[in-house]
Amino acid sequence: MTTQTIDVPSGVAPGVAQNNLFFAWFAGSLASCGAVTFTNPVEVVKTRLQLQGELAKATPGVERAYHNVAQAFWAIGKNEGLRGLQKGLGPGYMYQIMLNGTRLGFYEPVKNALYTGATGSTSRGQAPIMALNVAAGGLCGVAGAALGSPFFLVKTRMQSASKFAAVGHQHNYTSSIDGLRRIWQAGGIRGLYRGMDAAMMRAGAGSAVQLATYDHFKSYISRTLAHRGLTDNSVYTHFLASMGTGFFVCLAMNPFDVVSTRMYNQKTVNGQGALYRNPFQCFYKTVASEGVLSLYKGFLAHYLRLGPHTILMFVFVEQIKALGAQYF
C-alpha cells in the first residue's frame, strides 16, 4: 500500500513551524476556512431542520417544508439557488478563524501545559492521556466559541432566512455587516454576544471530543498500522482518524447544537430572548414540547457536515503543518 506523506527534512529541527503559535493559528484558520467552503450548504440544511417545528408538538397531517436532508438540500437549491445553499458563508469564515484558529492554534500549548503539570513533562513522546486531551480540547473550544460568538450569531440568522419556506424567526439581514450593525444598534455589546453561553457549551463539548479522539485515533492507527505505511504523517492516517472522530463529535454535540441554533435565532424583545432566557430553559422547553429526540434534530445533516468538515480540516491542517516544517 502506497501512502502519501510529506517528510520533514533532516536538516530542519522538528516542530520549528509547528511549535510557533502564530503558525499553528494560521494553519488552523486556513484549514477550517477551506473545509467550511465545501460543507456550508449542509450547515444551511442542518440549521433549518433544527428550527423547523420549534416548540410545536408533532401533529399528524401537518405538512412540513423540509422532510429530510436530501429533500431539504434539493428544495433550497431549487428555490434559492447556490446563494441560498451558501448563505452565511462570510460570517462562517470569520467564525472558523476565531473558533478553529484558537482551538487548533492553542491546543498543543494548552495540552503540553496540562501534561507538564500532571506528569512533569510535555506530551511529546508520551502515550496519550485521554482526560488531559479532553480538558485541553474543551478549554480551547470554549475560548474560541467566546471569540467567534457574534459571527455565529449572524451566520445562524442568515442561514435561517428564506422567502420560500421560513423556519424560526426571520431577521432578514442583507449582509454580514448589516447583521452586525443592526444587532449592535438594538443591543450593543450584549446583543452581539447573545447566546454565547450556549455556543460555549456546544464548542466545549465538541472540541473536547474532537481534539482528544482525533489524537487518540491518529496515535492508535500510526502505532498499529505503521507496517502498512499508515505513519503519523500519512494522509490516509489523517483521513481514517477524522472519520472516526466526526461520528463521536456529532453524537456528543448535537443536543448543544440544537440549543445554540435556537438561542441564536430567537427574536429579542426589550433586550431579552422572546422564547428562552438561557440554554437550560431552551433544553427544558424543547424536550417538554417536542420530546427527547428533538435534541437530535438534524443529526444526519450534522454528521454529513461535521464528518467531511472534520476530515477536510484535519487533513488540511496536517499538510499545512508538514509544509511549514519542511520550508520554514
Side-chain angles (χ1 to χ4, degrees), residues 91 95 148-160 171 173 179-180 183-184 188-196 199 260-261 263-266 268:
Y95 177 69
S149 186
F151 301 106
F152 196 94
L153 173 65
V154 173
K155 177 186 75 69
T156 300
R157 292 180 173 185
M158 290 181 72
Q159 290 176 337
S160 69
H171 297 272
Y173 300 144
L180 291 169
I183 294 168
W184 174 264
I189 192 73
R190 184 177 178 182
L192 286 173
Y193 281 91
R194 183 174 308 284
M196 182 181 71
S260 64
T261 296
M263 288 288 294
Y264 274 131
N265 194 68
Q266 69 175 325
T268 57

Side-chain angles (χ1 to χ4, degrees), residues 295-311:
L295 294 175
Y296 280 90
K297 275 189 172 182
F299 180 85
L300 180 58
H302 194 186
Y303 181 71
L304 290 176
R305 186 206 72 87
L306 194 63
H309 185 91
T310 302
I311 292 166

Side-chain angles (χ1 to χ4, degrees), residues 16-90:
V16 169
Q18 294 173 341
N19 287 337
N20 182 288
L21 193 59
F22 174 77
F23 182 83
W25 172 84
F26 170 78
S29 299
L30 184 61
S32 58
C33 284
V36 81
T37 303
F38 296 97
T39 61
N40 190 67
V42 190
E43 176 80 1
V44 174
V45 171
K46 174 187 70 72
T47 297
R48 296 193 185 182
L49 286 171
Q50 289 179 341
L51 288 171
Q52 183 171 244
E54 186 174 14
L55 298 186
K57 294 185 183 295
T59 305
V62 175
E63 185 68 19
R64 294 194 171 192
Y66 308 114
H67 305 297
N68 53 57
V69 176
Q71 182 271 338
F73 191 94
W74 171 258
I76 295 168
K78 179 182 178 181
N79 292 279
E80 301 176 45
L82 181 61
R83 290 188 64 180
L85 288 170
Q86 286 289 20
K87 278 187 174 181
L89 184 60

Side-chain angles (χ1 to χ4, degrees), residues 186-236:
I189 192 73
R190 184 177 178 182
L192 286 173
Y193 281 91
R194 183 174 308 284
M196 182 181 71
D197 46 0
M200 290 170 69
M201 293 167 64
R202 170 187 179 273
S207 298
V209 176
Q210 186 180 57
L211 297 176
T213 55
Y214 179 76
D215 255 9
H216 182 79
F217 276 125
K218 190 175 78 165
S219 175
Y220 177 80
I221 292 168
S222 61
R223 284 199 321 269
T224 58
L225 296 175
H227 63 287
R228 292 187 175 273
L230 294 178
T231 63
D232 194 60
N233 286 336
S234 168
V235 171
Y236 296 107

Side-chain angles (χ1 to χ4, degrees), residues 80-203:
E80 301 176 45
L82 181 61
R83 290 188 64 180
L85 288 170
Q86 286 289 20
K87 278 187 174 181
L89 184 60
Y93 281 141
M94 292 305 300
Y95 177 69
Q96 291 298 322
I97 290 170
M98 294 297 179
L99 175 68
N100 286 312
T102 301
R103 287 198 317 151
L104 301 180
F106 286 88
Y107 176 63
E108 286 296 329
V110 171
K111 184 175 74 170
N112 283 329
L114 292 177
Y115 271 74
T116 300
T119 68
S121 62
T122 66
S123 62
R124 188 176 296 276
Q126 291 196 53
I129 302 175
M130 183 62 76
L132 297 182
N133 292 351
V134 168
L139 289 170
C140 293
V142 166
L147 290 172
S149 186
F151 301 106
F152 196 94
L153 173 65
V154 173
K155 177 186 75 69
T156 300
R157 292 180 173 185
M158 290 181 72
Q159 290 176 337
S160 69
S162 173
K163 294 180 180 178
F164 151 67
V167 290
H169 183 70
Q170 300 290 285
H171 297 272
N172 297 317
Y173 300 144
T174 58
S175 66
S176 304
I177 300 299
D178 176 58
L180 291 169
R181 178 182 58 81
R182 286 168 57 182
I183 294 168
W184 174 264
Q185 289 176 345
I189 192 73
R190 184 177 178 182
L192 286 173
Y193 281 91
R194 183 174 308 284
M196 182 181 71
D197 46 0
M200 290 170 69
M201 293 167 64
R202 170 187 179 273

